[in-house]
Amino acid sequence: MTHIFSGNPLDRADALRRDPAWIAAATADPTGLYLLFANLQVAVRGQRQLQLGWLSRQEVSSLLAICPPPVLLGLTAQRPHFALDVTTHTAALDLAAAGDTDASLRFEDCRIAAMALPAADTGIVAQARSQIDWHRRHQFCSVCGEPTRPAKGGYVRSCANCAAEHFPRTDPVAIMLIVDGEHCLLGQSAGRLARTRTFSALAGFIDQGESIEEAVRREVKEEAGIAVGAVRYHSSQPWPFPSSLMIGCHGQALSREIQMDPEEMTAVEWFHRDQVKAAFYRNTTAADTDLRLPGPIAIAHHLIRAWLEDELPAAG
């Protein structure tokens, strides 16, 4: 299945990026389109029918001279699409003066925007936000400490001092719904979930030298004290906050007694299918709901739905 933040339709043009002359031509292409970001918020238009706020090269020409180099996201029908970080120049950012005639153009939080954008556009947002954030965080070489500069249209940063190349990273995260018959295991982490009183699937970063299955079993054991047997892959979701890949799984519990890690979790509980179903198929933000679950933007929502609707993938 295709989750929110997946389904990016752009051709990332990896082979073409190796040619500096092609990159220069793409950057100068008058048909190029630019998607602006300010403080990692994305430019959008519209209200009910939200759209990405693409601007032409002519409309952003004054910004290109003062902002960090744009990141080449990819192509559609040979037309280049870029992301442009205008954060440090918002005082100079007058969209009307830049040539935009649509007064509805504004910056929106990427999570909020993704709930209203066409599905394919959310994949572009995920790519662009992650790239912009990576460039902001990696201005200096981790080998020698000297400044780095973008190359290959923003898909690498190079160090002129020691010739090291640095590439954007994606952090793999295992997220798993553990089940035992008519019950599933849900938790509430010490951060945002606790503040919203929402229960979700357990999750954790995959360590180096660790398989997905091993990560599922380790994280559940660490966070909840539950032993896990069979693990089945369900689907994956890019999560650009800042740049993770959520790898969704279902796991079969081998034990029932919860021994929660209080440093990472504020609650871990077994919930019966009927209780989860009641919360899932009604307004889970209602004041009278005793169990709140993640919304459709999160892969956890779809892991829970698959279990409720008996759509778990086959073993093996």
Side-chain angles (χ1 to χ4, degrees):
M1 68 178 301
T2 301
H3 295 287
I4 291 176
F5 295 126
S6 303
N8 188 339
L10 296 179
D11 174 3
R12 304 194 186 205
D14 181 70
L16 295 172
R17 291 175 182 273
R18 303 167 193 167
D19 181 357
W22 182 87
I23 290 290
T27 304
D29 190 333
T31 70
L33 293 177
Y34 292 77
L35 184 61
L36 274 52
F37 282 77
N39 295 309
L40 298 178
Q41 294 186 326
V42 63
V44 296
R45 288 189 177 94
Q47 297 297 330
R48 293 184 179 179
Q49 299 294 324
L50 203 65
Q51 297 178 335
L52 291 179
W54 294 105
L55 294 175
S56 70
R57 192 180 193 283
Q58 181 180 358
E59 289 171 327
V60 301
S61 58
S62 61
L63 294 171
L64 291 174
I66 58 176
C67 290
V71 175
L72 176 62
L73 302 175
L75 307 172
T76 57
Q78 302 306 310
R79 190 179 198 179
H81 290 62
F82 297 87
L84 181 63
D85 185 7
V86 300
T87 299
T88 56
H89 297 283
T90 51
L93 180 59
D94 184 337
L95 293 174
D100 181 62
T101 58
D102 188 341
S104 70
L105 190 67
R106 66 188 188 281
F107 290 101
E108 188 73 85
D109 177 84
C110 289
R111 287 184 181 87
I112 296 174
M115 296 298 292
L117 284 167
D121 284 353
T122 69
I124 296 176
V125 171
Q127 177 195 8
R129 188 189 191 281
S130 292
Q131 290 279 349
I132 292 292
D133 193 28
W134 179 74
H135 281 284
R136 295 177 67 183
R137 293 169 181 261
H138 294 82
Q139 300 283 315
F140 298 91
C141 179
S142 61
V143 177
C144 69
E146 290 296 309
T148 58
R149 62 177 185 272
K152 294 184 178 179
Y155 259 48
V156 61
R157 293 191 70 91
S158 300
C159 179
N161 182 61
C162 71
E165 291 188 324
H166 305 277
F167 298 87
R169 60 176 293 170
T170 295
D171 297 316
V173 177
I175 179 166
M176 45 273 172
L177 185 70
I178 306 304
V179 301
D180 181 28
E182 291 296 294
H183 292 80
C184 72
L185 188 70
L186 299 174
Q188 197 177 73
S189 64
R192 184 176 58 85
L193 291 183
R195 295 194 297 272
T196 60
R197 297 186 295 153
T198 299
F199 279 80
S200 183
L202 303 186
F205 288 101
I206 298 176
D207 281 352
Q208 296 89 346
E210 185 175 50
S211 70
I212 296 172
E213 295 85 353
E214 290 168 340
V216 167
R217 297 183 182 112
R218 174 184 56 78
E219 283 289 342
V220 176
K221 189 68 174 178
E222 290 175 355
E223 294 181 351
I226 299 295
V228 175
V231 175
R232 298 176 176 87
Y233 170 79
H234 177 268
S235 59
S236 63
Q237 178 191 30
W239 190 250
F241 306 102
S243 184
S244 296
L245 178 65
M246 309 299 290
I247 302 172
C249 299
H250 292 96
Q252 180 62 49
L254 298 179
S255 62
R256 290 278 300 185
E257 183 180 354
I258 295 173
Q259 296 178 340
M260 186 187 75
D261 178 0
E263 291 192 11
E264 290 200 24
M265 310 298 294
T266 59
V268 177
E269 300 178 26
W270 289 105
F271 291 91
H272 191 273
R273 182 188 296 266
D274 291 342
Q275 185 180 7
V276 177
K277 184 178 293 186
F280 189 88
Y281 291 108
R282 69 186 182 209
N283 180 7
T284 57
T285 62
D288 60 351
T289 301
D290 56 356
L291 172 61
R292 301 186 180 195
L293 300 172
I297 192 174
I299 190 174
H301 175 94
H302 303 281
L303 294 175
I304 294 169
R305 181 198 55 76
W307 175 64
L308 290 175
E309 299 180 1
D310 295 319
E311 295 180 357
L312 300 192

